[in-house]
Amino acid sequence: MAQRSSNWIWAVLICLGLGLAACGERRTAVKEEGPPEPVPMGQLGPDVTPTAYRLDLRIIPTEPQFGGQVEIDVDVARHKQTVYLHARDLTLETVSARLPDGEVIAGAYEKATETGVAKLTFASAIPKGAATLVFKYSGKLGDKPDTLWVAEEAGERYAATQFQPLGARKAFPSFDEPRFKTPYTITLTTRESDVAASNAAIAKVDKIEGGLKRTTFAPTQPLPTYLVAMFAGPYDVVEAPAIPASAVRPEPIPLRGLTVKGKGTRMAYALKHTAPMIAYLEEYFATAYPYGKLDIIAPPNFSAGGMENAGAITYAERVILLDETASAAVKARFFMIHAHELGHQWFGDLVTPKWWDDLWLNESFASWIEIKTAAAVAPGNAYERGNLRDAIKVMDLDSLDTARAIRQPIAADDDIYNAFDGLTYSKGAAVLAMFEAFVGEEAFREGVRVHMKRYAHGVATAQDFLKSLADGSKRPEIVDAFETFLTQPGVPFVRAKITCDKTIGKGEFRQGPFAPLGVEAKPKTWSVPLCLRNLNRNEPQQCAMVSAQAADVVLLDVCPQPALLLNSGGNGYYRFDVGPEGWLNMIAKASVLSASEQISLLDSARAAFLSGGLDAKTYWRALETFAKAEAFDAVGAVADAIGELRDKFVSVGDQAAFERRVRSLYAPAVSSASLTTPSAESVLGAQRREALISAAAYHARDPALLKALSDQGAKALAEGPQAVDANLLPASLWAFVHLGGAPSVEAVIAKVKASSDATFRSTALRALAGLRGEAAFKPVGDLLLSGDLRTRERADLVRALFEDGEVRAMGWAFVKANFEALAAKTTLSGRALYIRVTDGFCDEATRADVEAFFTPKVAQMPGAPRSLANTLERIGRCVRLAEAKTAEVKTLWAAAPVAAPVRQRRRR
Ligand SMILES: [Zn+2]
């Protein structure tokens, strides 16, 4: 970093170059107006507002450095001698301010904070009004996807950018906050043979000396820094048919795909499915796609699923490079993530949150509309249950005392990184879906359309959004109700006690926060759009906004055996409990439940069990009832619940009995015979078969099934992944690793190293969690420390290892022994992962160990303080739960029936 003194020398040189008339003292020197500005710790001050950027950068991926010139037009509200903006790890060679009359005021730069606030001090104050800040600078090209970075594949080097949330300040001096939206004119000097791409279309290309070219892009629409994107490298470019004009857009949109060399053909599937999604979204928003052209880009070593850079969306290869042979799960992931990033082009890009505390608006909304879009363009794959499935996964996190609210005040960088968690994405999406169901789809859409019109190309807050929704839907009452979910963490838990008098029931409803046994939750209430359905009669649901902590209701025709579903349709972000008898009555009516209701009921049964309202036997009855449900995701929900029982309550000595019990659930529907793909199997059928087989393999450990799967895994390694059913590849490789020990682990790792297929690599890496024993762990540890994994692959592998209760302890010992090396290979914001993965432990000793290990480190890990607090709380809760429930749960398999099929028992 250049020191202040040397900057002054540069300033003098500029003055000499420009001639003295334009330099030094103004004829009437302007002094700073008002008190000196303190160093901004959160947002920048109000005095200087950028209005346009001109970036002129040289990016050659084979060079260590990049650099060039940035001009920022600004409006200055008062005479300012000191200006704060963002620049991090950059070498600023010259800084100056150019005034409208041509006068140049020299400036100096110094670092103001560790997180990238920079202080510019000028020789005299910049007068109130317009000015242009000019920087000549250079920086180091990054090696991780958290700024302008370079990655290598097959001997070629590619540059790409990932600026959200705080990466732009490491690529160019900037006012790096979402509220500052301005046009950008970007010029890139690259090798002539490289492809240069950015947010806007190419305006002109000039060849220059030394085998280089200058590509100038058209000015962009107003963008915040975090949506700016630049690419340079030998990318394959696939031109797709333009997205046709629409009712809201007269011009077609040019569409291209960019991949690393040789992978362009694998973009065809994604490109083909893009136009229908854009058409759906334009219709939904009643607003044209805003950015003139669309590039879909898969740079190497990209670590998120996707990033919504305006007009130049980036994706992980495992998400976007696929074809018709991909598994149903891989296709579903593509549809949802692609729809998510496209949805952001309106929500996030066209209308941007003012500050990071409203990041939830972006992510919740995109997570919600991805489901609608995918369901509309690829019907018949149960995408519409996606919000529910995701919401259930974050409810435990949300119920912690240390959880953050969806809309959490953000005072420091830590909070910005925390803002990208499951609560922002999944809880936010679920709450949107709940209120959409409550006011009706069309009324809700009207509110969204109002919002797009009001704030197009601008910024908006949560309050602005809720006002738009209320105005458009003409349902002002939802604002206060919505706020109860936005500003406080927690999951509403609605308990009903129904007493019968002939056919009439008296219902006592109580709401409070969900908490597991052993936790005294602070009282809280929400305005819950509660929807009830009497399962004994074929009547429509009845919904009402419930804001009181307690309510008594007379229920006609529910008795004598009340089977009252408290979350009809499964649309509500809440859990419920109806008491042991109520549960039995509902389970008896399982056949009238929709798939969403089954999934929601299973979650609430689990909540009732964890909080002590439901005994283990009745809980198990619910699991048994839905273990072989028609809906693949209900089957998956049961499998997750069984996995949890295994993880929390089954000791090593009990495993065989537990597995016998689980096997009886899935036999005889699942056997080695199910591995043959039936002809004309539907997508849903394939996913159901996969869910059943995986459950029987992972939790029942059916030996015949494991052997058959392992043989398939061996075949996939020998002949290539296409040699086996793509849907069963994950379970097949897992079984191969599980049964084969260290030699199998090494065989899988060798195939991973030889493959550049991101989907195969990610599947194979996750399968390594099937390993057992230190000898099999050793090569996995070596792989984690090697340079053979992409940033995201390393994170996914670590996550998979810690998800398995039989590998977790080895994983923890490894992380402790190698933390510095692992951290060096992880983005700064990604390091908190190593804390979060330990949340599956369930003993006091490890809890203390995790605390002692990470406490001294969290200050250097963005987002980590809250991750550590969440993790310690989770482990502590698990310890108390296990103490309270283990003996009771054990009775489930102690009395296990000996009814497993003969073929499978023979092998024991
Ligand atoms: Zn997103």
Side-chain angles (χ1 to χ4, degrees), residues 429-457:
V431 172
L432 287 169
M434 172 167 70
F435 283 98
E436 182 198 25
F438 188 68
V439 303
E441 198 169 0
E442 278 180 31
F444 194 86
R445 185 182 60 194
E446 218 28 61
V448 175
R449 288 178 172 178
V450 164
H451 193 62
M452 287 294 120
K453 287 212 170 58
R454 278 183 190 164
Y455 299 101
H457 294 299

Side-chain angles (χ1 to χ4, degrees), residues 164 178 181 223-224 226-227 291 308 343-353 359 361-363 365-366 452 458-459:
Q164 192 184 40
K181 289 180 82 170
L223 299 179
Y226 82 86
L227 291 174
Y291 297 112
E308 66 267 22
H344 269 314
Q345 301 299 303
W346 287 263
F347 230 97
D349 295 10
L350 182 63
V351 180
T352 306
L359 177 79
L361 265 179
N362 275 8
E363 298 306 345
F365 195 92
M452 287 294 120
V459 294

Side-chain angles (χ1 to χ4, degrees), residues 164 306-308 337 340-341 344 347 359 362-367 370 420 425:
Q164 192 184 40
M307 175 63 212
E308 66 267 22
I337 295 182
H340 179 105
E341 305 309 334
H344 269 314
F347 230 97
L359 177 79
N362 275 8
E363 298 306 345
S364 306
F365 195 92
S367 302
E370 79 184 39
F420 290 84
Y425 287 74

